[in-house]
C-alpha cells in the first residue's frame, strides 16, 4: 500500500501555462533570467509584412526590415561549414539552432508578434547575420514546452532589397560603394575584353550588342 | 609540339564569352513597389578560383545575390569545321622587306560553357534570363583578336538549353534556392605555332613573282626555247636552273634595255612550241 501522500496529485503541472500556476511563473522567470544573464547578445530584425508581395512568385523584391531590437538568445555556436563553389564561398548548408524564451521575445522584440521565416538575427559578438528559416516551439517539450521559441537559422542573404536590408550587413558603410557588383569580376572582364577586341571598327549589331 | 608558344586563344575566348553577360542588371523598387530606386549590375565571375582569392576578395558570412558564374565544362574537337589540315595561312608582317609569316589552318574546337544564375528572387531570375535569351537565335557572334598571329576571328556562340534548379520542397531547415543553368557552345579555334618571318633561318620569305611555263607536248619540252621580243632565241641546256638559267636569260637579253622590268629582273616572253 502506497504512502497516503503519494495518492494526492499536485494541482499544477509545467504544462499549465495559466496565471494561476505559480510554478509555471517561477519556471518562466528562471529561463528568462538565465537568458538575460547567460544569453548571447543579438539584434532582431522583423521582416516588414506591410511590403506588398508578388502573388505569382510569393516574394517581395523590395523587402524591408523593422528594428533592430536588442535581445539575447541562447545558442551554442557550432561549426559553420562553408563551401567554395562556382559562386565563391557560401554557407548554404550551414544551420544554427537558437532559443529565446517567449517572454523575452515579447519583452524585447514585439509583444504581438511571433518569429517567422524571413526575420533576421544578428549576433553582435561576431557580427554574423542569420535568416530565420523556421520557428518552432516543440523543443524540450517536457521542461520548456510552450515557453521557448526554437529558431532555425541560415546565413543571411542580401540582394539589395532595401536600405534597411543593407543596414543588416556587417559593414554597410564599407568601402564597397556597390557591394553586390563588387563581388563579381565585371569591371575586370570589361577591361580585359576591350583589350582583346572592343568592336569599334565593326557594326556591333552583327554581334548582337 | 616541342616549341613553346601560347596565343591565349582559349583564355581570350573565355573572356569574350564572359563579356557577353557583363552588363546585365536587375531593377530595385522603393517601398511602394513601383518607384524605381536603382538598377543593380549582376556580379559575374568565372569559376573556379583559388580559395585564397575568395578569402581575400569576398566576405564569407553573408550570401550576396544575385550572382552569375561561368563554368567551362568541356572542350571538344569540332570535326565538322575542320578545314584542310595542310593549308597554310600567310600573313604579311613587313611589306617593305617582303617578310611574311604563316601558320597552318586553325583547328576548330567547341568549348562548352555553363552559365549559372543564382538569385534570391524569381523575378530577378526572370529579368536576367530575359536579358540573355532573346539575343541568341540560337547563336550569337563574338570577336577574338590574337595579336600574336595578327588576326581576328569570329566565334559563334550557340545557346543550348536553360534549366531551372529551384527548391520546391522545403523541410524545416531548408529555404527556397533559385538557380538556373544555361548551357552554351562557343565554336572557337586554336592555333599551331607560327613559322616566323625570318629569312635567315627556317622562316618564310615573300614570293614576289611566279613564272609559269607551259609546254604543249614532249616535243615542245625537248625543243624548248624562248623568243625574246621575237628577235633573239635562246635554248635551255639540260639541267639549267636557278641562277644558271637566269644568267642564260640575261645573256640573251640586251643589258640595260627594255627587256628588264622595274626590279631589274629580266623579262621573258614565252612562246609555246608545237
Amino acid at each position: 500500500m502506497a504512502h497516503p501522500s503519494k495518492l494526492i496529485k499536485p494541482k499544477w503541472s509545467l504544462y499549465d501555462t495559466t496565471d494561476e500556476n505559480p510554478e509555471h511563473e517561477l519556471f518562466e522567470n528562471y529561463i528568462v533570467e538565465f537568458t538575460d544573464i547567460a544569453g548571447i547578445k543579438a539584434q532582431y530584425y522583423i521582416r516588414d509584412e506591410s511590403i506588398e508581395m508578388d502573388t505569382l512568385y510569393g516574394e517581395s523584391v523590395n523587402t524591408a526590415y523593422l528594428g533592430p531590437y536588442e535581445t539575447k538568445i541562447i545558442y551554442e555556436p557550432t561549426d559553420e561549414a562553408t563551401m567554395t563553389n562556382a559562386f565563391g564561398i557560401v554557407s548554404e548548408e550551414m544551420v544554427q539552432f537558437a532559443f529565446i524564451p517567449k517572454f523575452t521575445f515579447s519583452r524585447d522584440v514585439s509583444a504581438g508578434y511571433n518569429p517567422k521565416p524571413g526575420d533576421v538575427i544578428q549576433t553582435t559578438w561576431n557580427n554574423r547575420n542569420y535568416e530565420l528559416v523556421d520557428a518552432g516551439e516543440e523543443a524540450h517539450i517536457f521542461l520548456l514546452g510552450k515557453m521557448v521559441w526554437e529558431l532555425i537559422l541560415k546565413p543571411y542573404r542580401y540582394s539589395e532589397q532595401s536600405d534597411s536590408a543593407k543596414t543588416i550587413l556587417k559593414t554597410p558603410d564599407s568601402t564597397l560603394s556597390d557591394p553586390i557588383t563588387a563581388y563579381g569580376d565585371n569591371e575586370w572582364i570589361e577591361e580585359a575584353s576591350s583589350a582583346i577586341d572592343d568592336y569599334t571598327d565593326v557594326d556591333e549589331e552583327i554581334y548582337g550588342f | 609540339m616541342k616549341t613553346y608558344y601560347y596565343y591565349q586563344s582559349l583564355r581570350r575566348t573565355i573572356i569574350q564569352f564572359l563579356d557577353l553577360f557583363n552588363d546585365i542588371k536587375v531593377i530595385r523598387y522603393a517601398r511602394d513597389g513601383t518607384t524605381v530606386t536603382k538598377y543593380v549590375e549582376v556580379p559575374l565571375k568565372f569559376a573556379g578560383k583559388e580559395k585564397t582569392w575568395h578569402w581575400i576578395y569576398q566576405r564569407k558570412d553573408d550570401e550576396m545575390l544575385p550572382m552569375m558564374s561561368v563554368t567551362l565544362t568541356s572542350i571538344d574537337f569540332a570535326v565538322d569545321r575542320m578545314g584542310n589540315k595542310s593549308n597554310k595561312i600567310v600573313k604579311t608582317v613587313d611589306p617593305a622587306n617582303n617578310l611574311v609569316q604563316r601558320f597552318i589552318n586553325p583547328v576548330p574546337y567547341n568549348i562548352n560553357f555553363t552559365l549559372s544564375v543564382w538569385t534570391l528572387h524569381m523575378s530577378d531570375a526572370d529579368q536576367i534570363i530575359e536579358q540573355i535569351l532573346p539575343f541568341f537565335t540560337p547563336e550569337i557572334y563574338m570577336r577574338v583578336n590574337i595579336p600574336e598571329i595578327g588576326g581576328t576571328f569570329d566565334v559563334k556562340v550557340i545557346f543550348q538549353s536553360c534549366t531551372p534548379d529551384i527548391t520546391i520542397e522545403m523541410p524545416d531547415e531548408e529555404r527556397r534556392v533559385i538557380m538556373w543553368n544555361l548551357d552554351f557552345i562557343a565554336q572557337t579555334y586554336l592555333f599551331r605555332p607560327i613559322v616566323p618571318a625570318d629569312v635567315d633561318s627556317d622562316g618564310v620569305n615573300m614570293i614576289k613573282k611566279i613564272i609559269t611555263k607551259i609546254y604543249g607536248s614532249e616535243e615542245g619540252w625537248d625543243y624548248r626555247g624562248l623568243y625574246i621580243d621575237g628577235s633573239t632565241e635562246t635554248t635551255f641546256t639540260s639541267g639549267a636552273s636557278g641562277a644558271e638559267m637566269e644568267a642564260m636569260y640575261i645573256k640573251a637579253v640586251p643589258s640595260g634595255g627594255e627587256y628588264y622590268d622595274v626590279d631589274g629582273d629580266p623579262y621573258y616572253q614565252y612562246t609555246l612550241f608545237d
Side-chain angles (χ1 to χ4, degrees):
Chain A
M1 187 69 181
H3 191 277
S5 63
K6 292 183 179 178
L7 299 176
I8 303 172
K9 291 183 179 178
K11 302 236 183 265
W12 53 269
S13 73
L14 285 175
Y15 312 118
D16 178 7
T17 57
T18 61
D19 292 340
E20 290 75 32
N21 184 354
E23 300 301 329
H24 172 269
E25 290 290 324
L26 178 63
F27 197 82
E28 187 171 52
N29 288 343
Y30 164 71
I31 60 173
V32 169
E33 191 171 329
F34 176 82
T35 303
D36 287 338
I37 294 171
I40 295 174
K41 280 186 179 178
Q43 306 275 5
Y44 195 98
Y45 295 83
I46 296 175
R47 181 168 169 143
D48 191 345
E49 296 180 359
S50 66
I51 304 284
E52 191 173 344
M53 299 187 83
D54 175 358
T55 302
L56 179 63
Y57 292 145
E59 63 189 16
S60 58
V61 178
N62 52 336
T63 299
Y65 297 89
L66 307 175
Y69 305 98
E70 190 168 317
T71 186
K72 283 189 174 181
I73 59 174
I74 299 293
Y75 89 109
E76 185 172 347
T78 57
D79 179 34
E80 299 185 353
T82 57
M83 171 76 77
T84 304
N85 63 17
F87 298 99
I89 301 173
V90 296
S91 330
E92 180 61 29
E93 301 302 319
M94 194 272 291
V95 178
Q96 291 281 13
F97 296 94
F99 304 92
I100 181 170
K102 289 182 176 177
F103 180 87
T104 306
F105 186 85
S106 298
R107 182 194 67 193
D108 296 343
V109 180
S110 175
Y113 179 81
N114 292 341
K116 291 185 181 64
D119 294 348
V120 174
I121 288 180
Q122 182 181 75
T123 51
T124 53
W125 73 276
N126 59 354
N127 278 323
R128 299 296 296 268
N129 305 313
Y130 303 99
E131 176 184 326
L132 256 72
V133 177
D134 195 65
E137 50 188 344
E138 299 83 9
H140 308 293
I141 183 69
F142 292 106
L143 291 177
L144 300 173
K146 307 298 181 186
M147 292 185 189
V148 172
W149 290 115
E150 179 197 26
L151 311 175
I152 299 178
L153 309 172
K154 279 201 160 192
Y156 173 59
R157 299 180 296 183
Y158 175 65
S159 189
E160 300 221 11
Q161 304 96 319
S162 61
D163 288 342
S164 60
K166 189 173 185 177
T167 60
I168 297 175
L169 289 178
K170 184 171 64 177
T171 53
D173 298 324
S174 68
T175 54
L176 301 176
S177 59
D178 198 350
I180 288 288
T181 307
Y183 279 81
D185 303 335
N186 303 53
E187 194 174 335
W188 182 90
I189 292 170
E190 179 71 34
E191 293 174 0
S193 175
S194 296
I196 293 171
D197 198 313
D198 55 7
Y199 300 90
T200 53
D201 58 338
V202 293
D203 181 2
E204 288 190 346
E205 288 188 6
I206 296 173
Y207 295 94
F209 288 94
Chain B
M1 290 188 286
K2 294 180 179 176
T3 303
Y4 175 79
Y5 72 103
Y6 180 41
Y7 301 141
Q8 302 187 49
S9 182
L10 204 55
R11 179 184 174 91
R12 286 169 173 139
T13 301
I14 292 171
I15 292 172
Q16 293 298 75
F17 179 79
L18 283 164
D19 190 52
L20 295 175
F21 314 103
N22 200 16
D23 296 314
I24 293 172
K25 297 179 176 63
V26 292
I27 198 169
R28 286 292 175 265
Y29 298 99
R31 188 181 181 81
D32 58 14
T34 56
T35 305
V36 177
T37 56
K38 59 183 165 183
Y39 297 90
V40 179
E41 190 172 271
V42 180
L44 171 67
K45 60 177 67 173
F46 183 74
K49 293 172 165 40
E50 273 193 22
K51 219 170 195 177
T52 305
W53 191 95
H54 293 298
W55 277 77
I56 293 174
Y57 297 107
Q58 182 188 16
R59 72 203 315 153
K60 67 185 215 42
D61 43 4
D62 301 322
E63 292 174 1
M64 315 293 264
L65 303 174
M67 187 85 77
M68 293 193 300
S69 174
V70 169
T71 311
L72 193 160
T73 55
S74 68
I75 299 177
D76 305 315
F77 179 69
V79 65
D80 55 323
R81 292 188 290 120
M82 186 67 221
N84 187 327
K85 296 177 182 176
S86 301
N87 189 40
K88 299 177 180 64
I89 296 176
V90 178
K91 291 280 295 183
T92 302
V93 293
D94 187 1
N97 294 310
N98 301 321
L99 292 180
V100 296
Q101 58 183 194
R102 69 160 185 253
F103 54 89
I104 298 176
N105 256 356
V107 185
Y109 272 89
N110 291 340
I111 303 180
N112 294 277
F113 289 107
T114 296
L115 172 68
S116 300
V117 180
W118 184 13
T119 67
L120 182 59
H121 307 108
M122 293 275 276
S123 58
D124 287 349
D126 279 2
Q127 294 171 58
I128 293 169
I129 291 169
E130 207 163 313
Q131 289 175 66
I132 295 174
L133 297 189
F135 289 94
F136 290 88
T137 58
E139 73 277 345
I140 198 173
Y141 290 89
M142 62 185 190
R143 295 216 307 177
V144 176
N145 177 258
I146 310 285
E148 290 85 348
I149 65 169
T152 300
F153 60 93
D154 283 356
V155 175
K156 186 178 182 181
V157 182
I158 306 170
F159 168 73
Q160 295 291 292
S161 64
C162 183
T163 311
D165 183 7
I166 300 171
T167 310
I168 303 297
E169 297 179 354
M170 288 168 277
D172 285 351
E173 68 278 6
E174 292 298 332
R175 60 188 173 185
R176 188 178 70 168
V177 176
I178 301 166
M179 287 191 190
W180 284 82
N181 291 317
L182 289 74
D183 295 319
F184 299 91
I185 293 177
Q187 297 182 334
T188 192
Y189 294 92
L190 303 179
F191 297 84
R192 277 179 274 185
I194 286 175
V195 178
D198 180 3
V199 292
D200 295 328
S201 61
D202 296 331
V204 183
N205 208 345
M206 180 180 287
I207 298 173
K208 295 185 291 184
K209 295 179 183 176
I210 299 175
I211 300 173
T212 60
K213 292 180 291 203
I214 301 175
Y215 298 96
S217 66
E218 289 189 5
E219 289 75 17
W221 169 254
D222 291 339
Y223 297 101
R224 60 191 178 278
L226 73 161
Y227 293 95
I228 301 175
D229 196 27
S231 59
T232 305
E233 180 180 353
T234 300
T235 303
F236 290 149
T237 56
S238 176
S241 64
E244 185 182 357
M245 184 189 296
E246 186 174 351
M248 292 167 54
Y249 290 159
I250 293 173
K251 186 177 179 182
V253 175
S255 60
E258 64 270 26
Y259 304 105
Y260 288 79
D261 64 13
V262 293
D263 297 324
D265 295 326
Y267 172 76
Y268 304 119
Q269 182 180 3
Y270 292 86
T271 301
L272 290 178
F273 286 87
D274 201 11

